[in-house]
Amino acid sequence: MSLADRLRAQMRWRGIKSQNQLSRLSGVPQSSIHRLLVRGDSYDASWRTLERLAQALNTTASWLGAGHVPHAPASSPGVNRPALGYAAELSALMTRLPESACRQILSLVRMLAEGAGKPPAPGKNAEPRAIPQTDAGPPSQHA
């Protein structure tokens, strides 16, 4: 199995649908991810790049880069694998937001989850509700 094969397999396993999504999660430029997927073992990625990708993919740089440590993710019953990639991306994005914005996002996700798959109640407007605004102003970048 080549580096490109291992990278694709981990992206699939984690529910990461695109090179751009992996780039956002790992901090590795999309162009570097593209080179890894196209050139595979003929592209010499830095160890730091492999570490960042491995962390985003929940594996080791050693396995991702050379296949040294076998990685057989355990199957968890009831876990929606594609949702794992979204959860990781949301988590990475939320670290940059203030606490108040994180609470709003959590409320919105709870509201969506509670109403998922349910038709609108009779007599209720099917239009989505607006998210309440706070006086916190625009989200700031917290390090």
Side-chain angles (χ1 to χ4, degrees):
M1 182 181 257
S2 71
L3 168 62
D5 293 333
R6 288 187 296 276
L7 185 57
R8 276 190 203 92
Q10 281 302 109
M11 287 175 69
R12 234 183 346 267
W13 173 253
R14 299 296 298 164
I16 296 172
K17 306 251 187 259
S18 69
Q19 295 172 22
N20 283 328
Q21 186 180 7
L22 180 57
S23 176
R24 287 189 301 270
L25 288 168
S26 65
V28 173
Q30 181 272 330
S31 58
S32 296
I33 294 168
H34 176 77
R35 280 191 292 273
L36 287 167
L37 290 170
V38 171
R39 298 183 193 167
D41 291 331
S42 66
Y43 178 69
D44 191 22
S46 73
W47 186 253
R48 179 68 185 129
T49 295
L50 292 176
E51 286 178 327
R52 290 163 64 188
L53 289 170
Q55 182 177 8
L57 294 168
N58 197 27
T59 189
T60 64
S62 174
W63 179 82
L64 191 59
H68 288 154
V69 179
H71 182 71
S75 189
S76 301
V79 173
N80 181 353
R81 286 189 202 121
L84 294 175
Y86 296 124
E89 184 173 1
L90 276 171
S91 178
L93 291 169
M94 287 177 67
T95 61
R96 303 180 205 158
L97 299 174
E99 178 86 17
S100 61
C102 292
R103 283 193 302 270
Q104 285 183 325
I105 291 168
L106 183 58
S107 283
L108 176 62
V109 171
R110 284 179 181 148
M111 183 178 70
L112 290 170
E114 289 169 2
K118 295 179 187 175
K124 296 278 185 174
N125 186 352
E127 291 294 315
R129 295 182 295 189
I131 299 172
Q133 296 296 316
T134 64
D135 58 351
S140 61
Q141 297 286 333
H142 288 139

